[in-house]
Amino acid sequence: MERIWAPWRMGYINGDKPEDCVFCIPEGRENDPDRLILHRSASSFIIMNLYPYTNGHLMVIPFKHTSTLDDLDDLELLDFMKTLRLARRGLEKVFSPQGFNIGMNIGLAAGAGVAEHLHFHIVPRWNGDTNYMTVMADTRIIPEALTATYARLAPVFIALCDGEPK
C-alpha cells in the first residue's frame, strides 16, 4: 500500500486558531515572503493558499475586512478585479495552465472557509488533473513545496508590475 504524507496539515489541525481574521494583514511588506504574499495593490493583495487544491492555487483578497461586495467602493472593487486579472496573468506565465477555476464563496452556506472576509480563489487547471487519486481516493497530490512555488511566482509578479514591488 502506498502512503501519501502531508505532515504540514497537522500544524493547522492541531494548532491554535487565530481569533483575528487571517486575511487582515499588517501593512509592512518585510514579512511578505513568510506570509506567502506575492503582490499588494492599492486595495487588495495576492497570496498563495496555504492549503492548496493544486500547485499555484492563489487567493485575491481586499484589504478591507468585509464579507460582502457591497462594502467595497467602486475603486476598491475595480482594484480587486484588476488584481484578480494580474493573478491569472502571473499563473499563466509560470505554470502555462490549460484553464482556471476562479470563484468566490460568500457566506458559510456557500462554502466559505473564511466567511468574514471576501476572497477570490484562482486555481490553475490542466487536462487530466482530475485523475484516479482525486476521483477514487479523494486525495490531491501537490508535487512542489509552497516555498519553491513562491520562489517561482514572486519574480514574475514583480516583472508584471514594471519591476516595482507593490
Side-chain angles (χ1 to χ4, degrees), residues 46 58 60 82-94 97 100 102 122 157 160:
I46 300 169
L58 304 180
V60 179
K82 288 173 86 172
T83 304
L84 177 63
R85 181 176 63 188
L86 177 68
R88 183 197 47 80
R89 288 175 57 212
L91 288 170
E92 281 179 341
K93 286 193 173 293
V94 173
F100 292 94
I102 298 175
I122 179 165
F157 282 101
L160 286 170

Side-chain angles (χ1 to χ4, degrees), residues 4 26 48 53 58 78 142:
I4 299 173
M48 293 176 56
Y53 181 70
L58 304 180
L78 177 61
I142 309 298

Side-chain angles (χ1 to χ4, degrees), residues 91-111:
L91 288 170
E92 281 179 341
K93 286 193 173 293
V94 173
F95 291 103
S96 301
Q98 296 165 319
F100 292 94
N101 288 122
I102 298 175
M104 178 187 306
N105 302 325
I106 300 176
L108 287 175

Side-chain angles (χ1 to χ4, degrees), residues 20-107:
D20 298 334
C21 175
V22 296
F23 292 157
C24 288
I25 61 166
E27 289 187 27
R29 293 187 169 108
E30 62 278 353
N31 292 326
D32 280 359
D34 295 334
R35 293 185 193 113
L36 302 175
I37 296 171
L38 292 161
H39 172 77
R40 292 175 187 244
S41 66
S43 301
S44 54
F45 62 100
I46 300 169
I47 189 169
M48 293 176 56
N49 191 318
L50 192 56
Y51 305 101
Y53 181 70
T54 190
N55 279 98
H57 181 169
L58 304 180
M59 293 181 292
V60 179
I61 305 170
F63 287 121
K64 183 181 279 184
H65 180 84
T66 182
S67 62
T68 176
L69 288 165
D70 294 333
D71 287 343
L72 300 178
D73 65 33
D74 289 346
L75 289 176
E76 291 167 326
L77 190 58
L78 177 61
D79 180 82
F80 193 29
M81 292 304 297
K82 288 173 86 172
T83 304
L84 177 63
R85 181 176 63 188
L86 177 68
R88 183 197 47 80
R89 288 175 57 212
L91 288 170
E92 281 179 341
K93 286 193 173 293
V94 173
F95 291 103
S96 301
Q98 296 165 319
F100 292 94
N101 288 122
I102 298 175
M104 178 187 306
N105 302 325
I106 300 176

